[in-house]
Amino acid sequence: MPLPRPFRRVARALNPAVLPLARRVRPLAVVEHTGRRTGRRYRSPVMAFPSDGGWLIALAYGEDVHWRANLERSGGGRLVQGGVAADVALVGVRDRAEVGDRLPGWARALLGPADVRRFVELAPPA
């Protein structure tokens, strides 16, 4: 079950303060994506976990987040983590059962009680 919608407003208000930290401090990361309608470049802070040559990002706010839809529509974007940028493509949306032990134990312990059930999988473009 995603976090309630009011949390999205709070998170969006905090994004400008979090972005500099998210670019440098793992597991935080920044997804850079192009708007579907506006064509503008956006930056969204996320928690990205390295996995099988790509990354897993918890969909704590649900699947209808703009950055996911923008990556899907445009065919990809960039992920900046630990000061390193990588071009990425959306591989798919995965259930918690599919992700399983691909997440670090501490992340499973944190996301389990939050009832995060879906994850976006990103990988370098083919």
Side-chain angles (χ1 to χ4, degrees):
M1 170 190 234
L3 293 172
R5 287 204 180 268
F7 281 104
R8 287 186 186 196
R9 285 191 290 275
V10 172
R12 194 173 299 130
L14 293 175
N15 281 354
V18 173
L19 280 169
L21 186 65
R23 287 185 178 93
R24 292 176 182 82
V25 178
R26 294 174 192 246
L28 296 176
V30 175
V31 174
E32 297 178 351
H33 51 99
T34 302
R36 300 178 305 285
R37 296 182 187 104
T38 64
R40 289 181 49 202
R41 295 288 295 167
Y42 293 97
R43 292 170 182 82
S44 300
V46 296
M47 288 184 72
F49 305 98
S51 174
D52 299 335
W55 297 267
L56 292 169
I57 300 174
L59 290 170
Y61 298 108
E63 290 185 53
D64 62 337
V65 290
H66 292 292
W67 63 263
R68 187 205 56 83
N70 289 343
L71 288 178
E72 188 171 38
R73 174 89 178 253
S74 67
R78 290 173 51 112
L79 183 79
V80 181
Q81 188 176 49
V84 178
D87 290 333
V88 294
L90 183 93
V91 176
V93 178
R94 308 286 184 238
D95 288 324
R96 182 173 39 201
E98 291 178 83
V99 171
D101 61 354
R102 293 170 54 193
L103 288 174
W106 68 266
R108 287 192 308 270
L110 176 72
L111 297 172
D115 202 22
V116 175
R117 298 177 184 174
R118 305 284 280 170
F119 296 81
V120 163
E121 185 171 2
L122 302 178

